[in-house]
């Protein structure tokens, strides 16, 4: 992103108005709602008692056919289809008590003998109305047409005691009309990665889809991991994903792509999304005066109160910008930022060949398919998501929901929001009071030159003291464990940076103890490195699920020291850099 992007004086206004509208909406529900929630705090339900709702299939146009034969689906947002993966003695690999809590599900339900059968799709879940969603998308910058849920089947929506709506989805549950030439199945390897990273990202404080559980199917699935003509059989598995919505940019694009005939579906789907997931936008009144000047001369005006769709895409743009800033903050690379993998709620969605930075490399991509151009590498993520917002805005323009000025303003807001959030995150990671562009740029350059471990560096940085009297020969002592194998010239470069950093610390006037505590709250000690995933996968593939469960527990407390778990913060071993561990393909 270009740091010189305009910073409208309205940058705080959009956020503050949205927040106030949300607060107003909550207040209007009154004390009865509050009392009800307090009574229901300890609600613990069985699977049979879950409160199902099916607004998606009830309120949106569906496919008149309900078969799973791969085909083009027209004039529909979904197809009703039943899970069909072959299952034989399925086993529960791991589960999230945290996600169970979101659903008011009693954690003892995981102990049920029939639990693996129900979450493999082999046994119907009472109240579910399964369907696969229709969507399209730009893949690697090229429009790919119809894509859709090729191996994911949504069971429906659960309304919890707080009136929150949560969708449950089985990934790897069998063929749908959107499976194209694939089998609709998933392997244990990719399912463990998705399950663990969904939860790890949540506990890092990054918006994400969640995962309730993962079960083996007891059947083998054939996969050619590297597309090199050497397929092999792997254990099959199904992960239950959970999100307030799985709607993506591509959910709207597919209908706009079919011309005037289906543009009404874009509008219907947008109304549905706003009604259920952005209700505060419905309450925007012209009295709020959300009008903003745009462009270099400030002559154009965008009034977000006169068009709810314009207010909606601006919020989506800002949520997306905030998400990407947080990815950059923890060194997370998604790997496949196609428009069909972009959530309208600003969630991290669809975990395939993801990776956290080990040795800092801005051009790092965990996706073997992305290697030729590195379109989706770490450094490109902010600009790619801006491009994706532009495509989404074009879809709403095609449906006559927003104007070109409103579309441009949404993209502009994305850029400003990203820079604001990213600079704030980096400033907190450094323990400073204000952003120092020169200091940050020099640091990132040093990290890249010496391929320093990103996570461990920032965690170690909190040990530096705000003492300008530290002898030059001792400046790098707190960073000794992360500045490995660097020569004299590089040591001098780092010492120079540390001296500048100490000057900033002294100017901030914060005690070393207070600063360390605050820095350790934003610089994780533990992230889900690919080699940690692989170790858990290797054990699980021979029937030992203990490491998956241990790794989940560690990732649930990423900012804590966790005595005895230090091995999970170690640098990757040599074997971690082999293909299939540090890098994976799109469909892995």
């Amino acid at each position: 992103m270009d740091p010189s992007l305009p910073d409208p004086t309205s940058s705080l206004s959009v956020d503050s108005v949205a927040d106030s509208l949300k607060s107003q909406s909550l207040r209007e529900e009154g004390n009865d709602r509050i009392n009800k929630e307090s009574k229901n705090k300890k609600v613990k339900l069985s699977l049979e008692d879950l409160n199902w709702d099916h607004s998606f299939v009830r309120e949106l146009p569906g496919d008149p056919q309900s078969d799973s034969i791969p085909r083009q689906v027209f004039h529909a947002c979904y197809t009703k289809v039943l899970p069909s993966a072959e299952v034989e003695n399925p086993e529960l690999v791991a589960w999230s008590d945290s996600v169970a809590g979101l659903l008011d599900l009693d954690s003892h339900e995981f102990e049920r003998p029939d639990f693996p059968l129900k979450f493999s799709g082999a046994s119907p879940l009472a109240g579910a109305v399964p369907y696969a969603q229709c969507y399209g998308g730009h893949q690697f910058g090229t429009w790919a047409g119809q894509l859709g849920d090729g191996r994911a089947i949504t069971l429906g929506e659960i309304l919890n005691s707080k009136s929150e709506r949560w969708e449950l989805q089985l990934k790897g549950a069998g063929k749908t009309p959107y499976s194209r030439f694939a089998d609709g199945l998933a392997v244990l390897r990719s399912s463990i990665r998705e399950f663990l990273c969904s939860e790890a990202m949540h506990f890092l404080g990054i918006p994400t889809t969640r995962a309730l559980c993962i079960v083996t199917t007891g059947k083998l699935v054939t996969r050619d991991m590297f597309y090199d003509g050497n397929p092999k059989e792997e254990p099959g598995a199904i992960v239950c994903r959970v999100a307030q919505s799985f709607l993506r940019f591509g959910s709207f694009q597919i209908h706009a792509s079919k011309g005037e005939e289906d543009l009404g579906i874009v509008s219907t789907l947008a109304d549905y999304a706003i009604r259920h997931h952005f209700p505060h936008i419905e309450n925007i009144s012209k009295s709020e005066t959300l009008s903003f000047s745009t462009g270099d001369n400030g002559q154009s005006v965008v009034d977000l109160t006169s068009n709810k769709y314009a207010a909606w895409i601006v919020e989506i743009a800002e949520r997306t910008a905030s998400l990407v800033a947080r990815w950059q903050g923890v060194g997370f690379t998604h790997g496949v930022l196609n428009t069909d993998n972009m959530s309208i709620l600003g969630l991290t969605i669809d975990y395939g060949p993801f990776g956290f930075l080990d040795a800092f490399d801005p051009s790092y991509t965990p996706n073997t398919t992305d290697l030729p151009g590195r379109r989706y590498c770490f450094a490109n993520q902010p600009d790619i998501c801006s491009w994706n917002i532009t495509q989404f805005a074009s879809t709403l323009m095609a449906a006559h929901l927003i104007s070109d000025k409103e579309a441009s303003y949404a993209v502009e807001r994305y850029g400003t929001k990203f820079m604001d959030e990213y600079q704030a995150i980096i400033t907190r990671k450094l323990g400073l009071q204000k952003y120092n562009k020169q200091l940050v740029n020099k640091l990132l350059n040093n990290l890249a030159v010496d391929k320093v471990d990103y996570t461990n560096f920032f965690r170690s940085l909190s040990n530096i003291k705000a003492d300008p009297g530290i002898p030059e020969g001792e400046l790098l002592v707190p960073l000794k464990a992360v500045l490995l194998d660097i020569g004299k010239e590089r040591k001098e470069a780092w010492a120079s940076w540390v001296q500048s950093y100490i000057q900033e610390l002294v100017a901030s006037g914060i005690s070393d103890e207070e600063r360390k505590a605050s820095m350790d709250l934003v610089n994780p000690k533990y992230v889900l490195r690919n080699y940690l995933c692989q170790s858990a996968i290797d054990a699980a593939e021979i029937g030992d699920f203990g490491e998956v469960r241990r790794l989940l527990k560690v990732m649930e407390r990423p900012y804590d020291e966790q005595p005895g778990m230090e091995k999970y913060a170690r640098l990757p071993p040599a074997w971690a850099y082999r293909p299939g561990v540090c890098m994976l393909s799109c469909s892995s």
Side-chain angles (χ1 to χ4, degrees), residues 66-79:
S66 58
D67 60 76
S68 58
I69 299 172
R71 55 190 165 82
Q72 288 292 307
V73 173
F74 299 98
H75 321 308
C77 295
Y78 64 89
T79 302

Side-chain angles (χ1 to χ4, degrees), residues 537-580:
I537 290 166
D538 290 343
E541 287 185 336
I542 58 174
D544 178 5
F545 306 142
E547 187 60 16
V548 177
R549 297 170 186 176
R550 280 189 293 273
L551 192 50
L552 172 63
K553 293 304 178 186
V554 172
M555 295 303 148
E556 287 178 341
R557 296 167 51 205
Y559 299 100
D560 296 346
E561 283 296 325
Q562 301 191 52
M565 296 295 160
E566 290 81 5
K567 70 176 184 178
Y568 292 100
R570 289 176 185 164
L571 294 174
W575 61 263
Y577 294 97
R578 72 172 188 253

Side-chain angles (χ1 to χ4, degrees), residues 311-471:
W312 180 54
I313 191 174
V314 166
E315 182 164 338
I316 290 173
E318 291 194 340
R319 287 192 188 196
T320 303
S322 178
L323 174 69
V324 181
R326 296 186 195 193
W327 287 350
Q328 303 304 105
V330 297
F332 174 79
T333 309
H334 183 283
V336 201
L337 288 176
N338 298 327
T339 56
D340 56 294
N341 292 341
M342 297 292 295
S343 160
I344 65 164
L345 298 186
L347 306 175
T348 314
I349 190 171
D350 289 342
Y351 292 93
F354 66 82
F356 285 85
L357 290 175
D358 293 321
F360 184 73
D361 178 4
S363 67
Y364 167 68
T365 177
N367 185 352
T368 56
T369 315
D370 191 38
L371 275 178
R374 297 182 184 267
R375 174 182 175 86
Y376 296 143
C377 73
F378 176 73
N380 283 355
Q381 291 185 136
D383 285 328
I384 287 297
C385 287
S386 178
W387 190 88
N388 289 340
I389 288 287
T390 300
Q391 307 315 306
F392 184 51
S394 296
T395 296
L396 300 189
M397 287 174 59
H400 315 297
L401 299 181
I402 63 173
S403 68
D404 57 346
K405 289 180 181 178
E406 290 164 340
S408 296
Y409 182 69
V411 177
E412 179 182 308
R413 282 300 308 150
Y414 170 91
T416 304
K417 181 72 170 179
F418 172 78
M419 290 306 301
D420 288 348
E421 292 261 341
Y422 178 71
Q423 290 179 5
I425 287 169
I426 290 296
T427 300
R428 290 196 298 271
K429 288 177 73 68
L430 290 170
L432 300 177
Q433 297 298 293
K434 60 181 181 179
Y435 182 71
N436 184 320
K437 181 178 180 180
Q438 184 176 359
L439 188 76
V440 170
N441 286 348
K442 185 62 177 176
L443 169 61
L444 295 178
N445 180 70
N446 282 348
L447 290 173
V449 168
D450 295 309
K451 307 297 182 191
V452 179
D453 185 89
Y454 187 83
T455 301
N456 288 348
F457 173 82
F458 277 103
R459 187 71 176 191
S460 299
L461 195 61
S462 64
N463 295 320
I464 287 181
K465 306 299 181 185
D467 178 6
I470 296 175

Side-chain angles (χ1 to χ4, degrees), residues 149-227:
D149 287 332
R151 57 177 170 175
I153 296 176
T154 297
L155 300 176
E157 305 146 37
I158 299 292
L159 291 176
N160 68 12
S161 56
K162 297 179 181 178
S163 298
E164 295 170 338
R165 184 177 300 273
W166 295 98
E167 292 183 16
L168 270 63
Q169 185 181 87
L170 301 183
K171 185 172 181 178
K175 281 190 177 182
T176 77
Y178 313 102
S179 297
R180 292 172 286 176
F181 302 106
D183 55 19
L185 305 177
V187 295
L188 183 59
R189 164 175 51 85
S190 61
S191 300
I192 286 175
R193 286 172 54 81
E194 173 132 16
F195 173 82
L196 287 175
C197 203
S198 298
E199 293 306 284
M201 292 288 274
H202 169 73
F203 287 101
L204 282 168
I206 298 173
T208 178
T209 56
R210 304 292 301 278
L212 176 66
C213 62
I214 175 174
V215 298
T216 59
T217 62
K219 291 289 188 176
L220 295 175
V221 176
T222 302
R223 285 290 180 269
D224 185 350
M225 186 193 298
F226 300 111
Y227 301 120

Side-chain angles (χ1 to χ4, degrees), residues 91-140:
E91 291 185 74
L92 179 60
V93 176
W95 61 93
S96 169
D97 288 323
S98 172
V99 176
L102 294 177
L103 308 175
D104 298 327
L105 182 65
D106 193 322
S107 59
H108 291 298
E109 292 293 282
F110 294 116
E111 301 169 10
R112 290 173 52 152
D114 63 345
F115 189 93
L117 285 168
K118 291 185 178 297
F119 283 88
S120 63
S123 176
L125 202 56
V129 178
Y131 67 87
Q133 190 188 147
C134 179
Y135 52 82
H138 282 88
Q139 298 192 323
F140 294 91

